[in-house]
């Protein structure tokens, strides 16, 4: 199977190239030329299987230049029990009559990005061996918190790869900072930047394109790559858990094989929900994809009107991983909805770049609305949902998950659609202890995060996961910070030191 670029269909690469390159040369994203089909007999066969076996079937359909043995060894390395608490990898928790939470946060950093970032580095290593040039890969990441830590954990001590993470000194929570600063591994480097997330991100983009830096890397027999959420290797692992959740529902006799479900996803960069869209296109019986946003509701407006407009205030919310005004992965969906018209995608993306907005045709809007519904929820409603779930079901959820639950509940009351619904739960509540504790009505003002977490444990009867609680005792390894125009110094240091 070949992969083509959303902005120039003549650019075709193999799956291993798509994963290694991340982005196509002219700026487009790689998408598969056709999708492997998921037939009912295949689903039936998967019902009795475990997560890794189900993943094997799906990945083999997409990674046609990987051998089954290569895929299996990547999967076994990524999803073994020492990394994911509990053997189920992505278990479902029932929530009332018709809803189920798909818990995607049992991995090493307690957030859903582990689901992809535990697998991507392993796929990348195999892909690099195939390209056979013997170069060491240097991964650069700019992070506003969650991605950086999940990437560090995923790439930690992976042979043939180094990783350098830049985060804005004032832009991440103390817990997130501690997660990164205590990172273990011989091939990792973490640098704080004086500036905000945009400074870190544009600094990374500059390094990627800087001729002097590229020349330096070439001399060292190294090459850059990227682990951000537009890499196909991050999307693919996310398709698996929607299929797996469906199989679990059939296995547990919540639905019959062939029954449709809905899927509701707390959305930022549109990666997680796009994976569910691909599962649907492959044949998984999904009726509606419900796109949940926080107060940064650019996607809600888009789904309702067909106008994507980023010219609006940016809100910092208690669900920071969804504070995004440009959802990069939407480009892939547009490509599919517009009959793979690469020139038209190019025009829309040009419009986004120059005017910050674009409008799709009525036909595209109709297609969009056939698959998607969208809604958003403000800060007060997010907090109220956390409290309501805890009071009603004794279930403690994080802020991102709460946004999705609230949007689902509005959808249900507006449409009366009582199809069984899988709601993606994207973070462990102890990752955001301040917001969750205060949602429950307790005072959490000035205390440090471990103190707040202790109070949350007391109040909820839940325990802070060891991956987070253990940070307190871990030695801090990375303390250096750099001016935003000196990120090349950080890189040089990372490449000589580690
Ligand atoms: C990244 C993230 C999201 C958003 O996922 P996208 O794939 O970017 O839409 C939601 N919740 C949490 C906790 C996240 O870390």
């Amino acid at each position: 199977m070949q992969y083509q670029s959303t902005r120039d269909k003549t650019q075709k690469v193999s799956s291993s190239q798509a994963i290694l390159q991340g982005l196509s040369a002219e700026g487009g994203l790689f998408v598969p030329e056709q999708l492997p089909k998921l037939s009912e007999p295949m689903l039936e066969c998967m019902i009795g299987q475990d997560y890794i076996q189900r993943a094997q079937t799906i990945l083999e359909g997409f990674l046609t230049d990987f051998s089954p043995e290569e895929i299996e060894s990547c999967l076994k390395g990524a999803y073994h029990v020492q990394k994911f608490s509990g053997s189920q990898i992505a278990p479902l928790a029932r929530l009332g009559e018709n809803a189920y939470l798909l818990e995607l946060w049992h991995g090493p950093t307690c957030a859903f990005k582990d689901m992809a970032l535990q697998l991507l580095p392993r796929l990348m290593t195999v892909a690099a061996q195939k390209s056979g040039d013997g170069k060491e890969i240097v991964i650069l990441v700019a992070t506003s918190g969650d991605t950086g830590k999940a990437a560090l954990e995923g790439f930690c001590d992976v042979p043939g790869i180094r990783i350098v993470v830049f985060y804005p000194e004032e832009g991440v929570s103390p817990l997130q900072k501690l997660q990164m600063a205590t990172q273990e591994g011989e091939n990792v480097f973490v640098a704080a930047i004086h500036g905000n997330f945009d400074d870190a991100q544009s600094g990374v983009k500059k390094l990627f394109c800087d001729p002097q830096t590229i020349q330096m890397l070439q001399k060292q027999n190294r090459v850059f790559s990227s682990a951000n959420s537009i890499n196909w290797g991050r999307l693919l692992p996310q398709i698996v858990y929607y299929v797996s959740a469906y199989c679990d529902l059939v296995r547990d006799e919540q639905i019959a094989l062939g029954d449709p479900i809905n899927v509701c996803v707390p959305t930022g960069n549109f990666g997680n929900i796009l994976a569910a869209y691909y599962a649907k296109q492959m044949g998984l019986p999904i009726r509606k994809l419900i796109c949940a946003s926080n107060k940064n509701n650019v996607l809600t407006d888009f789904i309702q009107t067909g106008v994507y407009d980023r010219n609006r205030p940016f809100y910092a919310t208690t669900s920071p991983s969804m504070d995004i005004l440009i959802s990069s992965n939407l480009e892939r969906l547009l490509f599919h909805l517009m009959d793979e018209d690469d020139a038209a995608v190019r025009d829309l993306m040009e419009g986004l770049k120059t005017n910050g907005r674009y409008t799709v045709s009525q036909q595209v809007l109709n297609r969009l609305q056939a698959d998607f519904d969208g809604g958003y929820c403000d800060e007060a409603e997010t907090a109220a949902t956390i409290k309501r779930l805890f009071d009603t079901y004794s279930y403690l959820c994080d802020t991102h998950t709460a946004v999705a639950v609230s949007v689902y509940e509005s959808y249900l009351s507006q449409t009366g659609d009582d199809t069984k619904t899988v709601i993606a739960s994207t973070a462990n509540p102890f990752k955001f202890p301040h917001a969750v504790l205060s949602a429950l009505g307790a005072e959490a003002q000035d205390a440090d995060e471990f103190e707040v977490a202790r109070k949350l444990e007391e109040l909820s009867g839940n325990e802070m996961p060891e991956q987070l609680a253990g940070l307190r005792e871990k030695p801090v390894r990375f303390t250096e910070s750099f001016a935003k125009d000196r990120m090349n110094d950080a890189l040089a240091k990372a490449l000589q030191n580690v």
Side-chain angles (χ1 to χ4, degrees), residues 111-113 146 266-272 321-322 324 398 400 426-427:
F112 103 96
K113 292 189 173 63
D146 275 357
T267 296
N269 220 357
F270 210 77
N272 201 1
S321 300
M322 299 159 71
I324 286 178
D398 93 294
H400 304 76
T426 50

Side-chain angles (χ1 to χ4, degrees), residues 233-249:
R234 277 195 56 187
L235 243 142
L236 178 56
Q238 301 180 352
I239 297 175
V240 175
Y241 48 71
Y242 291 111
V243 178
S244 185
Y246 187 88
C247 293
D248 283 349
L249 287 174

Side-chain angles (χ1 to χ4, degrees), residues 15 20 78 186 195 200 209 225 242 281 285 337 341 389 401 409 475 495:
S15 59
L20 273 184
E186 295 305 310
C209 307
S225 188
Y242 291 111
Q281 298 310 110
L337 294 178
D341 185 344
L389 285 201
T401 307
E409 287 174 345
L495 294 183

Side-chain angles (χ1 to χ4, degrees), residues 175 450 457 463-474:
L175 194 65
F450 292 99
E457 286 183 324
E463 240 179 81
M464 187 182 210
E466 182 48 37
Q467 302 95 299
L468 297 177
L471 289 175
R472 206 173 200 168
E473 317 300 330
K474 272 195 159 180

